[in-house]
Short mmCIF file of all heavy atoms in Angstrom, two decimals:
data_model
loop_
_atom_site.label_atom_id
_atom_site.label_comp_id
_atom_site.label_asym_id
_atom_site.label_seq_id
_atom_site.Cartn_x
_atom_site.Cartn_y
_atom_site.Cartn_z
N LEU A 164 -9.36 8.03 -23.32
CA LEU A 164 -7.94 8.20 -23.06
C LEU A 164 -7.68 9.61 -22.65
O LEU A 164 -7.95 10.57 -23.47
CB LEU A 164 -7.06 7.78 -24.22
CG LEU A 164 -5.55 7.79 -23.92
CD1 LEU A 164 -4.83 6.70 -24.73
CD2 LEU A 164 -4.91 9.15 -24.30
N LEU A 165 -7.24 9.90 -21.45
CA LEU A 165 -7.05 11.26 -21.01
C LEU A 165 -5.64 11.38 -20.31
O LEU A 165 -5.34 10.61 -19.44
CB LEU A 165 -8.13 11.66 -19.99
CG LEU A 165 -7.99 13.02 -19.33
CD1 LEU A 165 -8.06 14.10 -20.39
CD2 LEU A 165 -9.09 13.22 -18.28
N TRP A 166 -4.89 12.35 -20.75
CA TRP A 166 -3.59 12.65 -20.15
C TRP A 166 -3.74 13.91 -19.35
O TRP A 166 -3.99 14.97 -19.83
CB TRP A 166 -2.59 12.85 -21.25
CG TRP A 166 -1.16 13.07 -20.79
CD1 TRP A 166 -0.72 13.08 -19.51
CD2 TRP A 166 -0.01 13.15 -21.60
NE1 TRP A 166 0.67 13.25 -19.45
CE2 TRP A 166 1.11 13.27 -20.73
CE3 TRP A 166 0.22 13.16 -22.98
CZ2 TRP A 166 2.43 13.41 -21.18
CZ3 TRP A 166 1.51 13.33 -23.44
CH2 TRP A 166 2.60 13.44 -22.59
N LEU A 167 -3.66 13.72 -17.99
CA LEU A 167 -3.78 14.78 -17.09
C LEU A 167 -2.38 15.36 -16.78
O LEU A 167 -1.61 14.75 -15.97
CB LEU A 167 -4.47 14.36 -15.81
CG LEU A 167 -4.98 15.44 -14.84
CD1 LEU A 167 -5.80 16.47 -15.53
CD2 LEU A 167 -5.78 14.78 -13.72
N LYS A 168 -1.98 16.44 -17.41
CA LYS A 168 -0.64 16.99 -17.31
C LYS A 168 -0.53 17.86 -16.07
O LYS A 168 -1.57 18.41 -15.58
CB LYS A 168 -0.30 17.75 -18.57
CG LYS A 168 -0.30 16.86 -19.80
CD LYS A 168 0.08 17.61 -21.08
CE LYS A 168 0.02 16.71 -22.32
NZ LYS A 168 0.34 17.44 -23.51
N PRO A 169 0.66 18.11 -15.58
CA PRO A 169 0.86 18.92 -14.37
C PRO A 169 0.18 20.24 -14.38
O PRO A 169 -0.33 20.73 -13.37
CB PRO A 169 2.39 19.02 -14.22
CG PRO A 169 2.91 17.74 -14.91
CD PRO A 169 1.96 17.51 -16.05
N ASP A 170 0.25 20.91 -15.54
CA ASP A 170 -0.35 22.30 -15.56
C ASP A 170 -1.89 22.29 -15.70
O ASP A 170 -2.53 23.28 -15.70
CB ASP A 170 0.24 23.12 -16.75
CG ASP A 170 -0.01 22.46 -18.11
OD1 ASP A 170 -0.58 21.35 -18.15
OD2 ASP A 170 0.40 23.05 -19.10
N GLN A 171 -2.45 21.06 -15.76
CA GLN A 171 -3.92 20.93 -15.85
C GLN A 171 -4.60 20.44 -14.54
O GLN A 171 -5.75 20.36 -14.44
CB GLN A 171 -4.29 19.96 -16.97
CG GLN A 171 -3.80 20.35 -18.32
CD GLN A 171 -3.95 19.19 -19.37
OE1 GLN A 171 -3.92 18.04 -18.98
NE2 GLN A 171 -4.19 19.57 -20.61
N VAL A 172 -3.69 20.11 -13.55
CA VAL A 172 -4.22 19.45 -12.34
C VAL A 172 -5.22 20.32 -11.57
O VAL A 172 -6.33 19.89 -11.26
CB VAL A 172 -3.06 19.07 -11.43
CG1 VAL A 172 -3.53 18.55 -10.11
CG2 VAL A 172 -2.19 18.00 -12.08
N GLN A 173 -4.85 21.58 -11.28
CA GLN A 173 -5.70 22.40 -10.48
C GLN A 173 -7.04 22.66 -11.13
O GLN A 173 -8.11 22.58 -10.50
CB GLN A 173 -4.99 23.75 -10.13
CG GLN A 173 -5.78 24.60 -9.16
CD GLN A 173 -4.93 25.80 -8.73
OE1 GLN A 173 -3.75 25.73 -8.54
NE2 GLN A 173 -5.59 26.96 -8.61
N ALA A 174 -7.00 23.01 -12.44
CA ALA A 174 -8.24 23.28 -13.16
C ALA A 174 -9.16 22.05 -13.22
O ALA A 174 -10.34 22.21 -13.22
CB ALA A 174 -7.88 23.85 -14.52
N THR A 175 -8.52 20.89 -13.29
CA THR A 175 -9.36 19.64 -13.41
C THR A 175 -9.90 19.28 -12.03
O THR A 175 -11.12 18.88 -11.92
CB THR A 175 -8.49 18.52 -13.91
OG1 THR A 175 -7.97 18.88 -15.21
CG2 THR A 175 -9.35 17.24 -14.12
N LEU A 176 -9.07 19.30 -10.99
CA LEU A 176 -9.50 18.78 -9.68
C LEU A 176 -10.49 19.76 -8.95
O LEU A 176 -11.48 19.30 -8.37
CB LEU A 176 -8.26 18.58 -8.78
CG LEU A 176 -7.82 17.08 -8.71
CD1 LEU A 176 -7.35 16.65 -10.04
CD2 LEU A 176 -6.63 17.00 -7.65
N ASP A 177 -10.20 21.10 -8.99
CA ASP A 177 -10.95 22.00 -8.18
C ASP A 177 -12.46 21.96 -8.25
O ASP A 177 -13.15 22.01 -7.22
CB ASP A 177 -10.45 23.42 -8.49
CG ASP A 177 -9.15 23.79 -7.77
OD1 ASP A 177 -8.55 22.90 -7.10
OD2 ASP A 177 -8.64 24.94 -7.93
N PRO A 178 -13.05 21.77 -9.49
CA PRO A 178 -14.53 21.80 -9.48
C PRO A 178 -15.16 20.44 -9.10
O PRO A 178 -16.37 20.37 -8.87
CB PRO A 178 -14.81 22.06 -10.99
CG PRO A 178 -13.50 22.36 -11.63
CD PRO A 178 -12.41 21.75 -10.78
N LEU A 179 -14.38 19.41 -8.92
CA LEU A 179 -14.90 18.06 -8.64
C LEU A 179 -15.38 17.98 -7.18
O LEU A 179 -14.78 18.60 -6.32
CB LEU A 179 -13.89 16.98 -8.91
CG LEU A 179 -13.43 16.86 -10.39
CD1 LEU A 179 -12.29 15.83 -10.47
CD2 LEU A 179 -14.56 16.52 -11.30
N PRO A 180 -16.39 17.17 -6.93
CA PRO A 180 -16.87 16.97 -5.57
C PRO A 180 -15.77 16.25 -4.74
O PRO A 180 -15.01 15.43 -5.31
CB PRO A 180 -18.12 16.13 -5.66
CG PRO A 180 -18.06 15.50 -7.03
CD PRO A 180 -17.30 16.43 -7.90
N VAL A 181 -15.69 16.52 -3.46
CA VAL A 181 -14.68 15.93 -2.62
C VAL A 181 -14.72 14.40 -2.61
O VAL A 181 -13.68 13.74 -2.39
CB VAL A 181 -14.72 16.44 -1.17
CG1 VAL A 181 -14.31 17.91 -1.08
CG2 VAL A 181 -16.10 16.22 -0.55
N ALA A 182 -15.87 13.83 -2.87
CA ALA A 182 -16.02 12.37 -2.84
C ALA A 182 -15.17 11.74 -3.94
O ALA A 182 -14.96 10.50 -3.95
CB ALA A 182 -17.47 11.94 -2.97
N ARG A 183 -14.74 12.47 -4.97
CA ARG A 183 -13.93 11.87 -6.04
C ARG A 183 -12.47 11.53 -5.54
O ARG A 183 -11.77 10.77 -6.23
CB ARG A 183 -13.79 12.85 -7.17
CG ARG A 183 -15.12 13.10 -7.91
CD ARG A 183 -15.80 11.81 -8.42
NE ARG A 183 -15.04 11.16 -9.44
CZ ARG A 183 -15.29 11.32 -10.75
NH1 ARG A 183 -16.28 12.11 -11.17
NH2 ARG A 183 -14.62 10.64 -11.66
N LEU A 184 -12.12 12.05 -4.44
CA LEU A 184 -10.76 11.68 -3.84
C LEU A 184 -10.84 10.27 -3.27
O LEU A 184 -11.83 9.98 -2.51
CB LEU A 184 -10.29 12.65 -2.76
CG LEU A 184 -9.91 14.08 -3.26
CD1 LEU A 184 -9.50 14.91 -2.07
CD2 LEU A 184 -8.77 13.99 -4.27
N TRP A 185 -9.86 9.46 -3.53
CA TRP A 185 -10.00 8.05 -3.21
C TRP A 185 -10.06 7.73 -1.72
O TRP A 185 -10.51 6.63 -1.34
CB TRP A 185 -8.83 7.24 -3.83
CG TRP A 185 -7.48 7.60 -3.36
CD1 TRP A 185 -6.66 8.63 -3.84
CD2 TRP A 185 -6.73 7.04 -2.33
NE1 TRP A 185 -5.49 8.68 -3.13
CE2 TRP A 185 -5.50 7.68 -2.18
CE3 TRP A 185 -6.98 5.95 -1.38
CZ2 TRP A 185 -4.54 7.42 -1.27
CZ3 TRP A 185 -6.03 5.63 -0.47
CH2 TRP A 185 -4.82 6.30 -0.39
N THR A 186 -9.68 8.64 -0.84
CA THR A 186 -9.75 8.34 0.57
C THR A 186 -10.97 8.98 1.27
O THR A 186 -11.11 8.83 2.51
CB THR A 186 -8.49 8.86 1.33
OG1 THR A 186 -8.38 10.25 1.04
CG2 THR A 186 -7.30 8.15 0.82
#
Side-chain angles (χ1 to χ4, degrees):
L164 185 147
L165 177 62
W166 187 354
L167 193 50
K168 299 180 181 180
D170 60 356
Q171 301 169 330
V172 172
Q173 186 173 321
T175 302
L176 262 62
D177 280 2
L179 297 176
V181 289
R183 294 303 294 263
L184 290 179
W185 63 272
T186 57

